Coordinates of all heavy atoms in Angstrom, one line a residue:
P9 N 18.2 -99.0 33.9 CA 17.8 -97.6 34.0 C 18.0 -97.1 35.4 O 18.1 -95.9 35.6 CB 16.3 -97.6 33.6 CG 16.2 -98.9 32.7 CD 17.1 -99.8 33.4
N10 N 18.1 -98.0 36.4 CA 18.3 -97.6 37.8 C 19.9 -97.5 37.9 O 20.5 -98.6 38.0 CB 17.7 -98.6 38.7 CG 17.8 -98.2 40.2 OD1 18.7 -97.3 40.5 ND2 17.1 -98.8 41.0
P11 N 20.4 -96.3 38.2 CA 21.9 -96.2 38.3 C 22.5 -96.9 39.5 O 23.7 -97.2 39.5 CB 22.2 -94.7 38.4 CG 20.8 -94.1 38.8 CD 19.8 -95.0 38.3
T12 N 21.7 -97.3 40.5 CA 22.2 -98.0 41.6 C 22.2 -99.5 41.4 O 22.6 -100.3 42.3 CB 21.4 -97.6 42.9 OG1 20.1 -98.0 42.8 CG2 21.6 -96.1 43.1
T13 N 21.7 -100.0 40.3 CA 21.6 -101.5 40.1 C 22.3 -101.9 38.8 O 22.1 -101.3 37.8 CB 20.1 -101.9 40.0 OG1 19.4 -101.4 41.2 CG2 19.8 -103.4 39.8
L14 N 23.0 -103.0 38.9 CA 23.6 -103.7 37.7 C 22.9 -105.1 37.6 O 22.6 -105.7 38.6 CB 25.1 -103.9 37.9 CG 26.0 -102.7 37.5 CD1 27.5 -103.2 37.8 CD2 25.8 -102.4 36.1
K15 N 22.9 -105.5 36.4 CA 22.3 -106.8 36.1 C 23.5 -107.7 35.7 O 24.4 -107.4 34.9 CB 21.4 -106.7 34.9 CG 20.6 -107.8 34.4 CD 19.6 -107.4 33.3 CE 19.0 -108.6 32.6 NZ 18.1 -108.1 31.6
F16 N 23.5 -108.9 36.3 CA 24.6 -110.0 36.1 C 23.9 -111.2 35.3 O 23.0 -111.7 35.9 CB 25.2 -110.3 37.4 CG 26.0 -109.2 38.0 CD1 25.3 -108.3 38.8 CD2 27.3 -109.0 37.8 CE1 25.9 -107.2 39.4 CE2 28.0 -107.9 38.4 CZ 27.3 -107.0 39.2
L17 N 24.4 -111.6 34.2 CA 24.0 -112.7 33.5 C 25.0 -113.8 33.5 O 26.0 -113.7 32.7 CB 23.6 -112.3 32.0 CG 22.5 -111.2 31.9 CD1 23.2 -109.9 31.5 CD2 21.5 -111.6 31.0
P18 N 24.8 -114.8 34.3 CA 25.8 -115.8 34.5 C 25.9 -116.9 33.3 O 26.8 -117.7 33.3 CB 25.5 -116.5 35.8 CG 24.0 -116.3 35.9 CD 23.7 -115.0 35.3
G19 N 25.0 -116.8 32.4 CA 25.0 -117.8 31.3 C 24.5 -119.1 31.6 O 24.7 -120.1 30.9
R20 N 23.9 -119.3 32.8 CA 23.3 -120.5 33.2 C 22.1 -120.1 34.1 O 22.0 -119.0 34.5 CB 24.3 -121.4 34.0 CG 24.8 -120.7 35.2 CD 25.8 -121.6 36.0 NE 26.9 -122.0 35.2 CZ 27.9 -122.7 35.6 NH1 27.9 -123.2 36.8 NH2 28.9 -123.0 34.8
P21 N 21.2 -121.1 34.3 CA 20.0 -120.8 35.1 C 20.3 -120.3 36.5 O 21.2 -121.0 37.1 CB 19.2 -122.1 35.1 CG 19.7 -122.8 33.9 CD 21.1 -122.4 33.7
V22 N 19.7 -119.3 37.0 CA 19.9 -118.9 38.4 C 18.8 -119.6 39.2 O 19.1 -120.1 40.2 CB 19.7 -117.4 38.4 CG1 19.9 -116.9 39.9 CG2 20.8 -116.7 37.6
L23 N 17.5 -119.4 38.8 CA 16.4 -120.2 39.5 C 15.7 -121.0 38.4 O 15.7 -120.7 37.3 CB 15.4 -119.1 40.1 CG 15.9 -118.2 41.2 CD1 14.8 -117.3 41.6 CD2 16.4 -119.0 42.4
E24 N 15.0 -122.0 38.9 CA 14.3 -122.9 38.1 C 13.0 -122.1 37.6 O 12.6 -122.2 36.4 CB 13.9 -124.2 38.7 CG 15.0 -125.2 38.9 CD 14.5 -126.5 39.4 OE1 13.3 -126.9 39.2 OE2 15.3 -127.1 40.1
S25 N 12.4 -121.4 38.5 CA 11.2 -120.6 38.1 C 11.0 -119.5 39.2 O 11.6 -119.6 40.3 CB 10.0 -121.5 38.0 OG 9.7 -122.0 39.3
G26 N 10.2 -118.5 38.8 CA 9.9 -117.5 39.8 C 11.0 -116.5 40.0 O 12.0 -116.5 39.3
T27 N 10.9 -115.7 41.1 CA 11.9 -114.8 41.5 C 12.2 -114.8 43.0 O 11.4 -115.4 43.8 CB 11.4 -113.3 41.1 OG1 10.2 -113.0 41.8 CG2 11.2 -113.2 39.6
F28 N 13.3 -114.2 43.4 CA 13.6 -114.1 44.7 C 14.2 -112.7 45.0 O 15.1 -112.3 44.2 CB 14.6 -115.2 45.2 CG 15.1 -115.0 46.6 CD1 14.5 -115.5 47.6 CD2 16.3 -114.4 46.8 CE1 14.9 -115.3 49.0 CE2 16.9 -114.2 48.1 CZ 16.1 -114.7 49.1
E29 N 13.8 -112.0 46.1 CA 14.4 -110.7 46.3 C 14.7 -110.6 47.8 O 14.0 -111.1 48.7 CB 13.4 -109.6 46.0 CG 13.9 -108.2 46.1 CD 13.0 -107.2 45.6 OE1 11.8 -107.3 45.7 OE2 13.5 -106.2 45.0
A30 N 15.9 -110.0 48.0 CA 16.3 -109.8 49.4 C 16.8 -108.3 49.5 O 17.6 -107.9 48.8 CB 17.4 -110.7 49.8
R31 N 16.2 -107.6 50.4 CA 16.5 -106.2 50.7 C 17.3 -106.0 52.0 O 17.7 -104.8 52.2 CB 15.3 -105.3 50.6 CG 14.6 -105.3 49.3 CD 15.0 -104.0 48.7 NE 14.7 -104.0 47.3 CZ 15.4 -103.5 46.3 NH1 16.6 -103.0 46.7 NH2 15.1 -103.5 45.1
D32 N 17.5 -107.0 52.7 CA 18.2 -106.9 54.0 C 18.8 -108.3 54.3 O 18.5 -109.3 53.7 CB 17.4 -106.3 55.1 CG 16.2 -107.2 55.4 OD1 16.2 -108.4 55.4 OD2 15.1 -106.6 55.7
A33 N 19.6 -108.3 55.3 CA 20.3 -109.6 55.7 C 19.3 -110.7 56.1 O 19.5 -111.8 55.9 CB 21.3 -109.3 56.8
A34 N 18.2 -110.3 56.8 CA 17.3 -111.3 57.2 C 16.6 -112.0 56.0 O 16.4 -113.2 56.0 CB 16.2 -110.6 58.1
E35 N 16.2 -111.3 55.0 CA 15.6 -111.8 53.8 C 16.6 -112.7 53.1 O 16.2 -113.6 52.5 CB 15.0 -110.7 52.9 CG 13.8 -110.0 53.5 CD 13.3 -108.8 52.6 OE1 14.1 -108.4 51.6 OE2 12.3 -108.3 52.8
A36 N 17.9 -112.2 53.1 CA 18.9 -112.9 52.4 C 19.2 -114.4 53.0 O 19.8 -115.2 52.3 CB 20.2 -112.2 52.4
E37 N 18.8 -114.6 54.2 CA 19.0 -115.9 54.9 C 18.5 -117.1 54.1 O 19.0 -118.2 54.2 CB 18.5 -115.9 56.3 CG 19.3 -115.1 57.3 CD 20.7 -115.6 57.5 OE1 20.9 -116.8 57.6 OE2 21.6 -114.8 57.6
A38 N 17.5 -116.9 53.3 CA 16.8 -117.9 52.5 C 17.7 -118.4 51.3 O 17.3 -119.4 50.6 CB 15.5 -117.5 52.0
S39 N 18.8 -117.6 51.0 CA 19.6 -118.0 49.9 C 21.1 -117.8 50.3 O 21.6 -116.7 50.6 CB 19.3 -117.1 48.7 OG 20.3 -117.2 47.7
P40 N 21.9 -118.9 50.1 CA 23.3 -118.7 50.4 C 24.0 -117.7 49.5 O 24.9 -116.9 50.0 CB 23.9 -120.2 50.2 CG 22.7 -121.0 50.3 CD 21.5 -120.2 49.9
L41 N 23.6 -117.6 48.3 CA 24.1 -116.6 47.3 C 23.7 -115.2 47.7 O 24.6 -114.3 47.8 CB 23.7 -116.9 45.8 CG 24.2 -115.9 44.8 CD1 25.7 -115.8 44.8 CD2 23.7 -116.4 43.4
A42 N 22.5 -115.0 48.1 CA 22.0 -113.7 48.5 C 22.8 -113.3 49.8 O 23.2 -112.1 49.9 CB 20.5 -113.7 48.7
K43 N 22.9 -114.2 50.7 CA 23.6 -113.9 51.9 C 25.1 -113.4 51.7 O 25.5 -112.5 52.2 CB 23.6 -115.1 52.8 CG 24.2 -114.9 54.2 CD 24.1 -116.1 55.1 CE 24.7 -115.9 56.4 NZ 24.7 -117.1 57.3
A44 N 25.7 -114.2 50.8 CA 27.2 -113.8 50.5 C 27.2 -112.4 49.8 O 28.1 -111.7 50.1 CB 27.8 -114.9 49.6
L45 N 26.3 -112.2 48.9 CA 26.3 -110.8 48.2 C 26.0 -109.7 49.2 O 26.6 -108.7 49.2 CB 25.3 -110.9 47.1 CG 25.7 -111.7 45.9 CD1 24.6 -111.9 44.8 CD2 27.0 -111.1 45.2
M46 N 25.0 -110.0 50.1 CA 24.6 -108.9 51.0 C 25.7 -108.6 52.1 O 25.7 -107.6 52.7 CB 23.2 -109.3 51.7 CG 22.0 -109.4 50.8 SD 21.6 -107.7 50.2 CE 20.9 -106.9 51.7
E47 N 26.6 -109.6 52.3 CA 27.7 -109.3 53.1 C 28.7 -108.4 52.6 O 29.5 -107.9 53.3 CB 28.3 -110.7 53.6 CG 27.4 -111.4 54.5 CD 27.9 -112.8 54.9 OE1 28.9 -113.3 54.2 OE2 27.3 -113.5 55.8
L48 N 28.7 -108.1 51.3 CA 29.6 -107.2 50.7 C 29.3 -105.8 51.2 O 28.1 -105.4 51.1 CB 29.5 -107.3 49.2 CG 30.2 -108.5 48.5 CD1 29.9 -108.5 47.0 CD2 31.7 -108.5 48.7
P49 N 30.3 -105.0 51.6 CA 30.0 -103.6 52.0 C 29.5 -102.9 50.7 O 30.1 -102.9 49.6 CB 31.4 -103.1 52.4 CG 32.2 -104.3 52.6 CD 31.6 -105.4 51.8
G50 N 28.4 -102.2 50.9 CA 27.8 -101.4 49.8 C 26.7 -102.1 49.0 O 26.0 -101.4 48.2
V51 N 26.4 -103.4 49.3 CA 25.3 -104.0 48.6 C 24.0 -103.8 49.5 O 24.0 -104.2 50.6 CB 25.5 -105.5 48.4 CG1 24.2 -106.3 47.9 CG2 26.7 -105.8 47.4
G52 N 23.0 -103.3 48.8 CA 21.7 -103.0 49.5 C 20.6 -103.9 49.2 O 19.5 -103.8 49.8
G53 N 20.7 -104.7 48.1 CA 19.7 -105.7 47.7 C 20.1 -106.5 46.6 O 21.0 -106.1 45.8
V54 N 19.4 -107.7 46.5 CA 19.7 -108.6 45.4 C 18.4 -109.1 44.9 O 17.4 -109.2 45.6 CB 20.6 -109.8 45.8 CG1 22.0 -109.3 46.2 CG2 20.0 -110.6 46.9
F55 N 18.3 -109.5 43.6 CA 17.1 -110.0 43.0 C 17.5 -111.0 42.0 O 18.4 -110.8 41.1 CB 16.4 -108.8 42.2 CG 15.1 -109.2 41.5 CD1 14.0 -109.6 42.3 CD2 15.1 -109.1 40.2 CE1 12.9 -110.0 41.6 CE2 14.0 -109.5 39.5 CZ 12.9 -109.9 40.2
F56 N 16.9 -112.2 42.1 CA 17.2 -113.3 41.2 C 16.0 -113.7 40.4 O 14.8 -113.7 40.8 CB 17.5 -114.6 42.1 CG 18.6 -114.4 43.0 CD1 18.8 -115.3 44.1 CD2 19.8 -113.5 42.8 CE1 19.8 -115.2 45.1 CE2 20.7 -113.4 43.7 CZ 20.8 -114.3 44.8
T57 N 16.2 -114.0 39.1 CA 15.2 -114.6 38.2 C 15.7 -115.8 37.6 O 16.9 -116.2 37.9 CB 14.9 -113.6 37.0 OG1 15.9 -113.6 36.2 CG2 14.6 -112.2 37.6
P58 N 15.0 -116.5 36.8 CA 15.6 -117.7 36.2 C 16.9 -117.4 35.3 O 17.7 -118.2 35.1 CB 14.4 -118.2 35.3 CG 13.3 -117.8 36.0 CD 13.6 -116.5 36.6
D59 N 16.9 -116.1 34.8 CA 18.0 -115.8 33.8 C 19.1 -114.8 34.3 O 20.1 -114.9 33.7 CB 17.3 -115.1 32.6 CG 16.3 -116.0 31.9 OD1 16.5 -117.2 31.8 OD2 15.3 -115.5 31.6
F60 N 18.8 -114.1 35.4 CA 19.8 -113.1 35.7 C 19.7 -112.8 37.2 O 18.8 -113.2 38.0 CB 19.6 -111.8 35.0 CG 18.4 -111.0 35.2 CD1 18.2 -110.2 36.2 CD2 17.3 -111.2 34.3 CE1 17.0 -109.5 36.4 CE2 16.1 -110.6 34.5 CZ 15.9 -109.7 35.5
I61 N 20.7 -112.0 37.7 CA 20.8 -111.5 39.1 C 20.9 -110.0 38.9 O 21.8 -109.5 38.2 CB 22.1 -112.1 39.7 CG1 22.0 -113.6 39.9 CG2 22.3 -111.5 41.1 CD1 23.4 -114.3 40.1
S62 N 20.2 -109.3 39.7 CA 20.3 -107.8 39.8 C 20.9 -107.5 41.2 O 20.4 -108.1 42.2 CB 19.0 -107.1 39.7 OG 18.6 -107.2 38.3
V63 N 21.9 -106.7 41.3 CA 22.5 -106.3 42.5 C 22.3 -104.7 42.7 O 22.7 -104.0 41.7 CB 24.0 -106.6 42.7 CG1 24.6 -106.1 43.9 CG2 24.1 -108.2 42.5
T64 N 21.7 -104.3 43.8 CA 21.5 -102.9 44.0 C 22.5 -102.4 45.1 O 22.6 -103.1 46.1 CB 20.1 -102.6 44.4 OG1 19.2 -103.1 43.4 CG2 19.9 -101.1 44.7
K65 N 23.3 -101.4 44.8 CA 24.2 -100.9 45.8 C 23.6 -99.8 46.6 O 22.7 -99.1 46.2 CB 25.5 -100.3 45.0 CG 25.3 -99.1 44.2 CD 26.6 -98.7 43.6 CE 26.5 -97.4 42.7 NZ 26.6 -96.2 43.5
S66 N 24.0 -99.8 47.9 CA 23.6 -98.8 48.8 C 24.5 -97.6 48.9 O 24.1 -96.5 49.2 CB 23.3 -99.3 50.2 OG 24.5 -100.0 50.6
D67 N 25.7 -97.9 48.7 CA 26.8 -96.8 48.6 C 28.0 -97.4 47.9 O 28.1 -98.5 47.6 CB 27.1 -96.2 49.9 CG 27.7 -97.3 50.9 OD1 27.6 -98.5 50.5 OD2 28.1 -96.9 52.0
G68 N 28.9 -96.4 47.6 CA 30.1 -96.9 46.9 C 30.1 -96.8 45.4 O 29.0 -96.3 44.9
E69 N 31.1 -97.1 44.8 CA 31.2 -97.0 43.3 C 31.2 -98.5 42.7 O 31.8 -99.4 43.3 CB 32.5 -96.3 42.9 CG 32.5 -94.9 43.4 CD 31.4 -94.0 42.8 OE1 31.1 -94.2 41.6 OE2 30.9 -93.2 43.5
W70 N 30.5 -98.6 41.6 CA 30.5 -99.8 40.8 C 31.9 -100.3 40.5 O 32.1 -101.5 40.4 CB 29.6 -99.8 39.6 CG 28.2 -99.9 40.0 CD1 27.2 -99.0 39.7 CD2 27.5 -101.1 40.6 NE1 25.9 -99.5 40.2 CE2 26.2 -100.8 40.7 CE3 28.0 -102.3 41.0 CZ2 25.3 -101.7 41.3 CZ3 27.1 -103.2 41.6 CH2 25.7 -102.9 41.7
S71 N 32.8 -99.4 40.3 CA 34.2 -99.8 39.9 C 34.9 -100.7 41.0 O 35.6 -101.5 40.6 CB 35.0 -98.6 39.6 OG 35.1 -97.7 40.6
Q72 N 34.5 -100.5 42.2 CA 35.0 -101.3 43.3 C 34.1 -102.4 43.6 O 34.6 -103.6 44.0 CB 35.2 -100.5 44.6 CG 36.5 -99.6 44.6 CD 36.1 -98.1 44.4 OE1 35.1 -97.7 44.7 NE2 37.1 -97.4 43.9
L73 N 32.8 -102.3 43.5 CA 31.8 -103.3 43.9 C 31.7 -104.4 42.9 O 31.6 -105.6 43.2 CB 30.5 -102.7 44.2 CG 29.5 -103.5 44.9 CD1 30.0 -104.1 46.3 CD2 28.3 -102.6 45.2
K74 N 31.7 -104.1 41.6 CA 31.4 -105.0 40.5 C 32.4 -106.2 40.6 O 32.0 -107.4 40.5 CB 31.5 -104.3 39.2 CG 31.2 -105.2 38.1 CD 31.2 -104.3 36.7 CE 31.3 -105.2 35.5 NZ 31.3 -104.4 34.3
P75 N 33.7 -106.0 40.7 CA 34.6 -107.2 40.8 C 34.3 -108.1 41.9 O 34.4 -109.4 41.8 CB 36.0 -106.6 40.9 CG 35.9 -105.2 40.4 CD 34.5 -104.8 40.7
A76 N 34.0 -107.6 43.1 CA 33.6 -108.4 44.2 C 32.4 -109.2 44.0 O 32.3 -110.4 44.3 CB 33.5 -107.5 45.5
V77 N 31.4 -108.6 43.4 CA 30.1 -109.4 43.1 C 30.5 -110.4 42.0 O 30.0 -111.6 42.2 CB 29.0 -108.3 42.5 CG1 27.9 -109.1 41.9 CG2 28.6 -107.4 43.5
L78 N 31.2 -110.1 41.0 CA 31.6 -111.1 40.0 C 32.3 -112.3 40.7 O 32.0 -113.5 40.3 CB 32.4 -110.6 38.9 CG 31.6 -109.6 37.9 CD1 32.6 -108.8 37.1 CD2 30.7 -110.4 37.1
G79 N 33.2 -112.0 41.6 CA 33.9 -113.1 42.3 C 33.0 -114.0 43.1 O 33.1 -115.2 43.0
I80 N 32.1 -113.4 43.8 CA 31.2 -114.2 44.7 C 30.2 -115.1 43.8 O 30.1 -116.2 44.0 CB 30.3 -113.3 45.6 CG1 31.3 -112.8 46.7 CG2 29.1 -114.0 46.1 CD1 30.6 -111.9 47.7
V81 N 29.7 -114.4 42.7 CA 28.8 -115.2 41.8 C 29.5 -116.3 41.1 O 29.0 -117.5 41.1 CB 28.1 -114.2 40.8 CG1 27.3 -115.0 39.7 CG2 27.2 -113.2 41.5
T82 N 30.7 -116.1 40.6 CA 31.5 -117.1 40.0 C 31.8 -118.2 41.0 O 31.6 -119.4 40.6 CB 32.8 -116.5 39.4 OG1 32.5 -115.5 38.5 CG2 33.7 -117.6 38.8
E83 N 32.3 -117.9 42.1 CA 32.7 -118.9 43.1 C 31.4 -119.7 43.5 O 31.5 -120.9 43.6 CB 33.3 -118.2 44.3 CG 33.8 -119.1 45.4 CD 34.4 -118.4 46.6 OE1 35.2 -117.5 46.3 OE2 34.0 -118.8 47.7

Side-chain angles (χ1 to χ4, degrees):
N10 184 344
T12 63
T13 303
L14 272 182
K15 185 173 165 182
F16 295 83
L17 299 111
R20 59 177 63 180
V22 178
L23 295 177
E24 286 185 33
S25 64
T27 62
F28 173 82
E29 184 171 38
R31 293 258 166 223
D32 58 38
E35 291 175 349
E37 287 295 322
S39 166
L41 177 56
K43 184 177 178 183
L45 290 168
M46 292 294 290
E47 288 174 351
L48 286 174
V51 171
V54 297
F55 178 68
F56 304 152
T57 75
D59 303 318
F60 65 85
I61 298 165
S62 288
V63 176
T64 302
K65 67 182 179 87
S66 55
D67 61 350
E69 298 297 321
W70 278 118
S71 58
Q72 281 105 25
L73 193 54
K74 183 177 164 182
V77 170
L78 288 168
I80 286 175
V81 172
T82 300
E83 186 178 311

